[in-house]
């Protein structure tokens, strides 16, 4: 059976030790000079700059081998209060050219659910193991608030500069691992917190 094409970027689900994700996130800053909208699940990277309060500035990560990410956006800060989408009817995204704090799930030990693409075919389960894979960029939705980023099935390999580590397929009804758009559990392989060179 074909999988629904419903990309949402990186959605945190648990930690590598098996404990559930509890919604923890760190505050980052997006300046009004950044003319790019940010969506839930969108992989981000720290730019090396900070605002006047010392809060690090983030931008969209690059979908290609060798490029690091700090983690995905999981919410915004509205009027000083953190806002995290808890239902499908609560779309959240950061509008372009808007000065705002956002919430990022930046723990390097987080496990995420992400969809594989439909362009490069499906990842062969028998050979996937715990191999690495890169992101492929996708457009976000102002309706759902979610990112359209996925993992690029054509990049799967053992190279240590690939961005994500495959852990296993998501085991639930309706997710056919032998078909395109399958959902996977992954960990960030090139995480900024594990890069010992400062930005």
């Amino acid at each position: 059976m074909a999988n629904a094409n419903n990309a949402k970027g990186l959605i945190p689900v648990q930690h590598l030790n098996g404990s559930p994700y509890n919604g923890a996130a760190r505050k980052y800053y997006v300046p009004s000079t950044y003319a790019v909208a940010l969506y839930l699940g969108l992989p981000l990277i720290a730019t090396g700059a900070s605002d006047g309060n010392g809060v690090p500035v983030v931008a969209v990560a690059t979908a290609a081998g060798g490029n690091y990410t700090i983690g995905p956006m999981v919410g915004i800060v509205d009027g000083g209060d953190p806002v995290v989408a808890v239902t499908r009817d609560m779309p959240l995204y950061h509008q372009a050219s808007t000065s705002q704090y956002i919430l990022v799930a930046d723990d390097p030990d987080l496990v995420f659910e992400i969809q594989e693409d439909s362009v490069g075919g499906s990842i062969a389960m028998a050979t996937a193991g715990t191999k690495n894979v890169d992101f492929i960029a996708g457009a976000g939705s102002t309706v759902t608030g979610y990112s359209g980023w996925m993992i690029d099935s054509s990049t799967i390999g053992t190279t240590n500069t690939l961005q994500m580590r495959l852990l296993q397929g998501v085991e639930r009804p309706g997710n056919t691992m032998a078909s395109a758009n399958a959902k996977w559990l992954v960990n960030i392989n090139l995480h900024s917190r594990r890069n010992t060179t400062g930005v």
Side-chain angles (χ1 to χ4, degrees):
M1 186 169 111
N3 294 307
N5 184 1
N6 186 25
K8 293 183 176 180
L10 289 170
I11 305 302
V13 293
Q14 65 183 88
H15 295 267
L16 283 172
N17 65 6
S19 60
Y21 174 64
N22 64 2
R26 191 178 308 277
K27 184 169 71 172
Y28 288 85
Y29 179 65
V30 185
S32 60
T33 53
Y34 193 58
V36 178
L38 305 180
Y39 299 89
L40 297 173
L42 180 63
L44 303 172
I45 186 69
T47 66
S50 299
D51 75 348
N53 296 316
V55 178
V57 173
V58 288
V60 178
T62 300
N67 291 290
Y68 284 78
T69 181
I70 195 74
M73 183 178 112
V74 293
I76 62 175
V77 178
D78 185 19
D81 296 322
V83 181
V84 178
V86 293
T87 72
R88 66 180 182 174
D89 300 319
M90 190 179 178
L92 293 172
Y93 71 99
H94 165 80
Q95 296 182 28
S97 304
T98 304
S99 174
Q100 188 174 44
Y101 291 114
I102 64 170
L103 301 172
V104 179
D106 64 357
D107 184 343
D109 288 327
L110 278 175
V111 173
F112 303 92
E113 179 177 322
I114 190 170
Q115 178 178 294
E116 75 173 82
D117 66 300
S118 57
V119 178
S122 58
I123 296 173
M125 287 296 297
T127 58
T130 52
K131 290 190 171 71
N132 297 330
V133 68
D134 277 336
F135 288 119
I136 185 169
S141 169
T142 58
V143 176
T144 67
Y146 282 104
S147 163
W149 280 45
M150 299 175 280
I151 50 175
D152 186 350
S153 58
S154 68
T155 64
I156 186 169
T158 58
T159 309
N160 62 3
T161 56
L162 294 168
Q163 294 174 293
M164 304 299 297
R165 170 69 55 87
L166 295 173
L167 299 177
Q168 67 180 76
V170 173
E171 297 182 87
R172 68 164 173 258
N175 187 42
T176 304
M177 296 310 301
S179 298
N181 302 133
K183 311 307 185 282
W184 286 83
L185 295 181
V186 299
N187 178 244
I188 298 174
N189 190 46
L190 296 186
H191 198 290
S192 299
R193 295 276 182 236
R194 294 206 165 106
N195 182 1
T196 56
T197 301
V199 177

